[in-house]
Amino acid sequence: MADAHAAEPPGRGEQDTAGLAGSEPDPRFTFANERTFLAWSRTALALVVAGLAIVQLLPPFPGVPLGRHVLGVPLIVLGAVIAIASYLEWVRSQRALRLGQPLPRSILPGVLAGTVACVAVAAGIVLLLSALR
Amino acid sequence: MARTWHQGAEGAQDADPEDADPGLARERTALAWTRTAISVAAVGGAILKSHPVPGAIVLAMSPVVWVLGRIPGRSAPGTAKPERLLAITVTIVVVCCVALALSFTITHGPGIR
């Protein structure tokens, strides 16, 4: 196994499972791309936990019957969106690495920041509504 | 960039420790997989509190994730394996669906009142 990899000439990448073009990149780049994907996956899982905790553990907001769902469900959905999008970005980045192209720009930070900001605003509104009641 | 497929001390003797030992990148990645597995376990534990059965299922996914992370240590280093990562994505989406289903069930668990 190890000998086969040691003898592998540069540029040989035709046997990749997905039949991708280009050549196998430096393994460190592949590892780094994989770690980025894993980091986004953990972010997604943390969002799911946060959303679940909001819905299941918080006491109901007085006067705002669906307040907990308004805050928690978007976080859970965002977790699923980030999980899928991070996989697609991993595929895109891996393709760019193989072809030696610049890495594509990631939309994930923007999506995450935008949704979290919206949930924060919604949380403020829900709190105000329940306090004013 | 040195194309070093070896692991450990048999690598090239460059000034950059990363060049000398690409196993460091592998190590970091293995740790990242471990963190991800712990995150899955944390989600499972959180669900377990109010819903034991789905919680136990999610908790049981944690060692599976950990094992998925051990696979690159045995096969070609740095080779892209979309199936493993796709498995993580599918796992998280399933967890999200479980969480959404639980969100719309009325809980009489030990929630704070």
Side-chain angles (χ1 to χ4, degrees):
Chain A
M1 214 46 189
D3 288 343
H5 295 132
E8 190 167 16
R12 189 191 123 186
E14 297 83 21
Q15 293 190 345
D16 198 85
T17 48
L20 294 169
S23 60
E24 186 66 32
D26 189 308
R28 285 170 286 177
F29 299 164
T30 302
F31 278 133
N33 192 18
E34 187 171 318
R35 286 197 298 279
T36 306
F37 165 78
L38 289 170
W40 279 114
S41 299
R42 290 193 296 276
T43 306
L45 287 168
L47 288 165
V48 175
V49 171
L52 209 53
I54 287 173
V55 174
Q56 297 269 328
L57 297 181
L58 279 189
F61 294 105
V64 193
L66 280 177
R68 293 178 297 175
H69 287 83
V70 166
L71 301 180
V73 170
L75 291 180
I76 298 173
V77 173
L78 178 64
V81 168
I82 283 186
I84 295 167
S86 66
Y87 176 73
L88 297 177
E89 295 220 328
W90 177 84
V91 171
R92 278 201 308 161
S93 297
Q94 200 64 25
R95 189 185 302 134
L97 284 174
R98 292 183 70 89
L99 297 174
Q101 292 169 345
L103 289 178
R105 181 171 290 222
S106 173
I107 58 157
L108 281 169
V111 171
L112 179 67
T115 313
V116 169
C118 288
V119 171
V121 170
I125 293 173
V126 168
L127 281 178
L128 275 179
L129 283 178
S130 63
L132 289 175
R133 183 181 160 271
Chain B
M1 195 65 67
R3 221 167 221 291
T4 321
W5 297 96
H6 294 285
Q7 191 180 7
E10 43 180 330
Q13 294 167 5
D14 293 293
D16 189 353
E18 284 287 313
D19 280 334
D21 187 6
L24 291 176
R26 182 201 315 277
E27 193 76 32
R28 283 199 295 278
T29 307
L31 289 169
W33 276 95
T34 306
R35 286 197 296 276
T36 309
I38 291 172
S39 298
V40 173
V43 178
I47 299 175
L48 199 66
K49 206 168 180 212
S50 53
H51 299 83
V53 173
I57 293 171
V58 175
L59 206 55
M61 286 173 173
S62 171
V64 176
V65 170
W66 188 77
V67 167
L68 281 176
R70 306 304 291 180
I71 292 174
R74 292 199 301 269
S75 57
T79 305
K81 288 201 192 54
E83 301 83 19
R84 291 183 304 129
L85 306 190
L86 197 56
I88 297 290
T89 302
V90 170
T91 302
I92 296 175
V93 171
V94 168
V95 169
C96 285
C97 292
V98 170
L100 276 180
L102 295 182
S103 296
F104 292 105
T105 60
I106 299 153
T107 173
H108 299 290
I112 305 154
R113 276 180 223 188

